[in-house]
Amino acid sequence: MYEDKAPDAVWAGRSTRRRWGRRPASARLLWRTERENGSQGAPLGTWALDGTLALARVDGVRAYGLTTGEPLWSWQPPGDGAQVIAHVSQDTADGVIVVLHHDAGHGDDRRTDDGHARVWHVSLTGLDLRTGTAVWTRDQRADELGSVGADAPEVALGGGRIAAVTARIRDGGTETTVRVLDARTGALQWERPVPEGRRDAFVLTAGPVVVSTAGPEDPASPHSRLRLHIVGEDAQQAIDLPPLYEAFGAHPVIVGDTLAVELVPPQPYDTEHMGSTLRAVSTATGEFRWSWSSTYGRTIFPLAHRGALLVLNGYGDRATVLDPADGRVVAERSLPGYSYQARLVAAGDCLAVVCTAPRTTTRVRVFRWK
């Protein structure tokens, strides 16, 4: 758990409508990348572990020294550019990340009716994050995973498994099913149908499995049709989108028995003067526990770290540590600089802010908390 010796006045209490009296103390910048000239593609995933920071893009995975920025290793899918990375695991399992890759393909004949990349065959590779060594690789039938292109949200990797949403025609109708496979072996662990009447199911996380669904259109209640499902082999817990919000954020996180997810307000909401709300509920009952609101920018990315909830908010220029039990602010740090659509990864007392916007930008900034 974080311990902070700054004056109490620096940290806000439990109020969800705070005004910053002054900026919190700055975390120490260790290194940052030079500004990219032109887009090299937005990172698909980022990880930090044991002094290593790794980023995955469609063409490969590259690793750097976490505290130095020194290049360590790189890995590309086989085929001299004939394959691309579509999905990567959101976490590490025993220091191994999982990469799903397939033939790049070209032309309209490689597109499904809904515009996703049409893929018949995929491969999965487990990479040792410390060395870049491929410790295992295997083939996978793509039709067992539904749509698997990089622009398809029906599949996610994490917790050493693959979670996918597949649709099958049964009894004259379409049945949508959540399937969970062992990432290394491909063995089916379990599957459950999505609740009747739900549609447009997307997998947000695979470890644990969190699925977003939409319900039947209801003009009288336009904000109640979205729902999150925490799905297990024997049960699932549903969480409805509260009124006055447009959507759930794409990065829910679970700390202990608390799920925290961003609530996206209606447009316009991308100005620096509009805050964002993080909502926490019980994973067992779905009951509301607490909410926390930033007062500027938007909450970009929540992360479970050291038993606390670490929130990257604003435009990647502030990190806030929340107690997952009650939403109380434990500590904060200013992160000099800014990033759009940023992700946060942490290892020990080091924080890496990685911009995922596909634009010319300073891609990576790494800080030490104290």
Side-chain angles (χ1 to χ4, degrees):
M1 183 64 68
Y2 294 102
E3 294 182 359
D4 217 292
K5 304 303 183 182
D8 291 341
V10 174
W11 316 127
R14 296 179 57 182
S15 170
T16 60
R17 302 296 297 174
R18 301 189 308 273
R19 295 186 180 276
W20 306 110
R22 54 175 170 144
R23 291 186 65 82
S26 293
R28 179 160 62 93
L29 178 66
L30 297 179
W31 61 276
R32 64 182 180 183
T33 55
E34 297 296 327
R35 188 175 180 87
E36 292 181 353
N37 295 319
S39 175
Q40 299 181 20
L44 299 174
T46 57
W47 309 268
L49 180 70
D50 294 343
T52 300
L53 173 69
L55 283 74
R57 285 183 161 114
V58 295
D59 62 343
V61 183
R62 293 170 179 81
Y64 308 86
L66 177 61
T67 60
T68 65
E70 177 185 0
L72 298 180
W73 56 263
S74 64
W75 177 89
Q76 290 77 41
D80 295 326
Q83 290 198 14
V84 295
I85 296 175
H87 297 277
V88 295
S89 57
Q90 299 165 333
D91 55 12
T92 63
D94 298 325
V96 175
I97 59 177
V98 181
V99 179
L100 185 152
H101 48 100
H102 58 73
D103 291 340
H106 302 282
D108 293 338
D109 62 326
R110 299 300 301 268
R111 292 283 167 180
T112 61
D113 293 340
D114 55 7
H116 293 159
R118 188 185 300 277
V119 178
W120 291 273
H121 170 87
V122 301
S123 298
L124 291 109
T125 298
L127 294 178
D128 188 313
L129 187 63
R130 303 172 185 86
T131 65
T133 303
V135 296
W136 59 265
T137 187
R138 70 173 184 86
D139 296 332
Q140 169 73 51
R141 285 178 49 187
D143 60 358
E144 294 181 344
L145 304 180
S147 299
V148 296
D151 54 352
E154 289 89 359
V155 63
L157 309 178
R161 55 190 179 181
I162 309 170
V165 172
T166 59
R168 303 172 183 172
I169 304 298
R170 288 188 176 180
D171 299 327
T174 301
E175 180 183 78
T176 303
T177 302
V178 179
R179 310 182 76 239
V180 175
L181 286 71
D182 184 281
R184 182 165 185 168
T185 67
L188 177 66
Q189 294 184 345
W190 53 266
E191 60 182 346
R192 289 178 61 88
V194 173
E196 186 177 358
R198 308 305 293 180
R199 58 179 179 80
D200 297 336
F202 304 137
V203 183
L204 301 184
T205 68
V209 180
V210 179
V211 177
S212 171
T213 67
E217 296 289 351
D218 182 1
S221 182
H223 299 295
S224 65
R225 62 188 185 88
L226 296 181
R227 182 177 294 170
L228 286 186
H229 304 265
I230 307 170
V231 187
E233 181 176 4
D234 300 319
Q236 61 183 350
Q237 181 61 54
I239 303 165
D240 286 314
L241 181 70
L244 306 180
Y245 290 95
E246 187 173 75
F248 290 106
H251 306 288
V253 62
I254 293 179
V255 186
D257 61 351
T258 297
L259 178 142
V261 62
E262 180 188 1
L263 301 180
V264 180
Q267 298 289 341
Y269 98 112
D270 57 347
T271 66
E272 62 178 336
H273 301 299
M274 297 190 69
S276 185
T277 298
L278 200 67
R279 184 178 180 88
V281 299
S282 166
T283 58
T285 65
E287 294 180 350
F288 169 79
R289 286 189 166 170
W290 52 264
S291 64
W292 175 86
S293 296
S294 61
T295 56
Y296 78 107
R298 58 165 296 193
T299 301
I300 298 179
F301 196 84
L303 179 72
H305 185 54
R306 289 181 168 179
L309 183 63
L310 186 57
V311 181
L312 180 68
N313 53 91
Y315 288 98
D317 60 354
R318 181 171 298 180
T320 304
V321 182
L322 304 176
D323 186 324
D326 57 12
R328 177 178 54 87
V329 174
V330 176
E332 283 185 317
R333 280 292 183 269
S334 173
L335 307 176
Y338 65 91
S339 300
Y340 295 100
Q341 301 175 22
R343 289 175 181 256
L344 181 67
V345 292
D349 62 350
C350 290
L351 310 179
V353 182
V354 181
C355 178
T356 64
R359 63 175 72 181
T360 301
T361 184
T362 300
R363 186 64 65 184
V364 179
R365 293 175 290 133
V366 179
F367 302 86
R368 194 178 295 280
W369 185 262
K370 289 188 177 182

